[in-house]
Amino acid sequence: MKNIHFKIGILSALGLLLGACSEEFLEEKPKGAVSESVLADENGINLLLVGAYSRIDGYAAGEAGGTGGASATNWVWGDVTSDDMHRGDQTGGWSPINLIERYEVDAANPWIDELWIANFDGVARANDALRILSQARENIDDQAATQLEAEARWLRAWYYFQLRSKIEKVPYITEDMVASEVPNDREIWDDIEADLQWGIDNNMDESPEVGRASRWAAKALKARVHMFQREFSEAKPLLDDILNNGPFMLMDQYYDNFDEEKQNNAESIFEVQYTVNDGAGDANSGIDHRTLFPRGGDVGLCCAYSAPSFDLFNAFKVDADGLPLFDTFQDDLLLEDYGLLDTEAFTPTDVALDPRVDWTIGRRGIPFLDWGPMSGGDWMLDQAGMGPFLNKKIMFYKRNFKTISISSPTWSAGLNGNNWRLFRLSHVILWRAEVAAEENDLATARDMVNMIRERAQDDLVMGKVNNTTFEEGHVLDIDEAQPAANYNLGLYTAFPDQDYARKAIYHENRLEFALEGMRFQDLVRWGIDEATITQYLQSELSDGKLPWLQGASYTGGKNDHFPVPQTQIDLQSEVLTQDPAY
């Protein structure tokens, strides 16, 4: 019987508990164990791959990741850490996230441990599939075996990308290594690239079954890895290939990319697949963000742990030509109904805004999809602590309540089957714009940004709400023929210089992908994290707003990444070392 080694604290797929054992143990299979011989064919490898895919949302019932620390949405690591989102509901629950948002993380923070364990569990599952595949190749058609290996390598690369984009000192463990002996003493970007390139070189399927990684997904992820290293010349051919030869096209409307009725659409390159009401309880739903939905008021879900910042809302301001205010949007900060009860009179600002604002942020007096207009602080627990805004991108239509959302009673009735779009064509377009800007090809950079902006120009939230208060029993007065707010979005006529082009592209990334878990790591890879976060904190906390966040500060070179969990250092003290910054 072959020994199977795995990192302490990391669970292996399908309970392959085949470690060294006595003769008595050999005579009686342990409960929950699966013999390798049973899995050594195409069906068995597929089962292992399903197990590896199932970890991609960061969740496994009863295991690390259950609270969202390893979520594919990256709402903690990419949004809460940035200038885009507050954790919200700060008066209770999940205090470790408050420390993350205040940039007071240490190696004992349990969310760091959860991030590490859940993603290494995904690595272990991918490695199980690869190792048993190597033993079973003679039983599998060559083309099928190649595709299985390519998908397993893509999954391993994804889990490592999740880790390395947040933690600098990560061991790269492959299927032929003794996991407990692998140190974290070298850079692993090249290893991630090699796993992805293997699938590309070996003709990974371009259109596999929905939910499986394709060759296009491998190219998109590899381009993203190169962008993190500022390897623009290496990213460029991958991005061009997707743009010029891929089957993808921008959807007609911006919100099509978040609409549960338009999943796996023409713009999508890879989606994390969610389902509900499938007999599996809530295990296959988007459980990794189960606490981010509105609460109270006319919605009554749970738990409003996702509160867009004042800074993000104000970033959608535009000038008379419908162009962003890169350097001045923080002036005269719009607070909307902050500090007001829903029974007090309030009218949304008439300042001109990019229309994507109201597909991204829920705010008082604006229709919240088909749930009716958000009525204010009664849709959240603590408006004074979290601010007046809600996350709209994770929501589903009321008409699909208990069909696309979970039908059985639960404390988190917002759980739903709306997929998470991990990579889509708009990502590729704006990454290609960034490459063009770095090459000083300003015309191409402008055209790429305008392609994104043109799609969003006419995608307006409709329904002008004439109510100013929303006390109990209110009658809604809505003019459905009118835009909900003062929207304006213009196209760039030129990028006059490289610095302007960078500002335009960085800002466009923020507007297009707000609350999608990308912002903080983008700030870091652009090298503007310390200046941006410092200015953000100064603006966001002015005049005593958000008392619990007062005094927070950001230190570049440390707060731009996270430590190795102390639990892992303790378990492998002679193998793993802590990041010197911690």
Side-chain angles (χ1 to χ4, degrees), residues 302-353:
C302 182
C303 299
Y305 274 18
S306 174
S309 65
F310 298 110
D311 198 84
L312 176 61
F313 178 71
N314 283 264
F316 285 91
K317 291 177 182 173
V318 296
D319 64 16
D321 295 320
L323 296 178
L325 306 174
F326 306 140
D327 302 315
T328 60
F329 71 85
Q330 291 170 327
D331 297 347
D332 300 318
L333 210 63
L334 300 173
L335 305 184
E336 290 297 85
D337 65 321
Y338 186 54
L340 296 179
L341 299 175
D342 60 302
T343 54
E344 296 180 79
F346 169 77
T347 300
T349 182
D350 62 356
V351 168
L353 300 169

Side-chain angles (χ1 to χ4, degrees), residues 421-432:
R421 284 72 164 175
L422 210 58
F423 295 110
R424 61 181 192 268
L425 186 61
S426 46
H427 292 127
V428 173
I429 291 171
L430 285 181
W431 296 338
R432 184 62 180 88

Side-chain angles (χ1 to χ4, degrees), residues 263-544:
Q263 302 179 81
N264 300 305
N265 61 43
E267 189 169 337
S268 180
I269 297 174
F270 184 85
E271 297 186 10
V272 179
Q273 305 291 315
Y274 295 137
T275 64
V276 291
N277 309 322
D278 57 2
D282 57 14
N284 295 325
S285 66
I287 201 167
D288 48 324
H289 48 252
R290 71 186 306 163
T291 60
L292 307 188
F293 304 100
R295 64 187 304 160
D298 300 319
V299 181
L301 302 176
C302 182
C303 299
Y305 274 18
S306 174
S309 65
F310 298 110
D311 198 84
L312 176 61
F313 178 71
N314 283 264
F316 285 91
K317 291 177 182 173
V318 296
D319 64 16
D321 295 320
L323 296 178
L325 306 174
F326 306 140
D327 302 315
T328 60
F329 71 85
Q330 291 170 327
D331 297 347
D332 300 318
L333 210 63
L334 300 173
L335 305 184
E336 290 297 85
D337 65 321
Y338 186 54
L340 296 179
L341 299 175
D342 60 302
T343 54
E344 296 180 79
F346 169 77
T347 300
T349 182
D350 62 356
V351 168
L353 300 169
D354 183 308
R356 286 172 290 188
V357 66
D358 287 325
W359 292 118
T360 302
I361 294 173
R363 59 184 175 123
R364 182 177 172 181
I366 304 294
F368 199 91
L369 302 181
D370 61 348
W371 291 87
M374 179 182 164
S375 56
D378 60 330
W379 278 36
M380 55 196 73
L381 179 65
D382 179 20
Q383 196 224 48
M386 65 187 290
F389 305 119
L390 292 171
N391 185 338
K392 207 169 189 177
K393 283 185 174 178
I394 61 166
M395 197 55 177
F396 53 93
Y397 285 99
K398 186 176 183 179
R399 63 177 175 262
N400 293 324
F401 185 50
K402 294 193 176 181
T403 56
I404 193 69
S405 72
I406 196 163
S407 59
S408 57
T410 174
W411 63 269
S412 182
L415 288 172
N416 63 81
N418 192 8
N419 294 347
W420 185 255
R421 284 72 164 175
L422 210 58
F423 295 110
R424 61 181 192 268
L425 186 61
S426 46
H427 292 127
V428 173
I429 291 171
L430 285 181
W431 296 338
R432 184 62 180 88
E434 189 177 338
V435 170
E438 295 303 321
E439 293 178 336
N440 212 29
D441 180 1
L442 302 185
T444 297
R446 178 206 60 200
D447 290 346
M448 290 287 177
V449 172
N450 278 344
M451 191 183 306
I452 294 297
R453 293 179 66 79
E454 187 172 17
R455 188 261 295 274
Q457 276 185 317
D458 299 322
D459 191 9
L460 311 181
V461 172
M462 300 299 290
K464 180 71 172 177
V465 179
N466 295 316
N467 301 64
T468 59
T469 63
F470 294 89
E471 62 275 9
E472 187 175 355
H474 64 273
V475 177
L476 293 176
D477 178 13
I478 305 175
D479 185 348
E480 300 288 356
Q482 296 297 318
N486 181 16
Y487 302 125
N488 188 15
L489 194 160
L491 304 182
Y492 292 97
T493 57
F495 286 169
D497 54 47
Q498 191 176 49
D499 183 60
Y500 185 94
R502 288 186 180 121
K503 283 185 177 181
I505 292 164
Y506 297 170
H507 202 85
E508 198 66 29
N509 270 270
R510 187 181 194 186
L511 303 183
E512 181 77 5
F513 308 127
L515 309 182
E516 295 182 47
M518 298 175 59
R519 175 67 174 171
F520 181 70
Q521 280 71 37
D522 276 345
L523 291 175
V524 171
R525 71 180 183 83
W526 292 329
I528 61 173
D529 51 299
E530 185 166 21
T532 301
I533 297 297
T534 299
Q535 177 61 35
Y536 151 70
L537 289 172
Q538 180 180 338
S539 171
E540 194 79 356
L541 302 181
S542 61
D543 302 322

Side-chain angles (χ1 to χ4, degrees), residues 106-108 112 116 167 169 184 561-569 573 575-582:
D106 61 26
I112 301 289
W116 182 281
I167 300 172
K169 291 180 67 64
N184 60 338
H561 63 286
F562 302 97
V564 178
Q566 188 59 46
T567 55
Q568 303 301 317
I569 298 288
S573 59
V575 178
L576 300 180
T577 57
Q578 187 55 271
D579 189 310
Y582 289 89

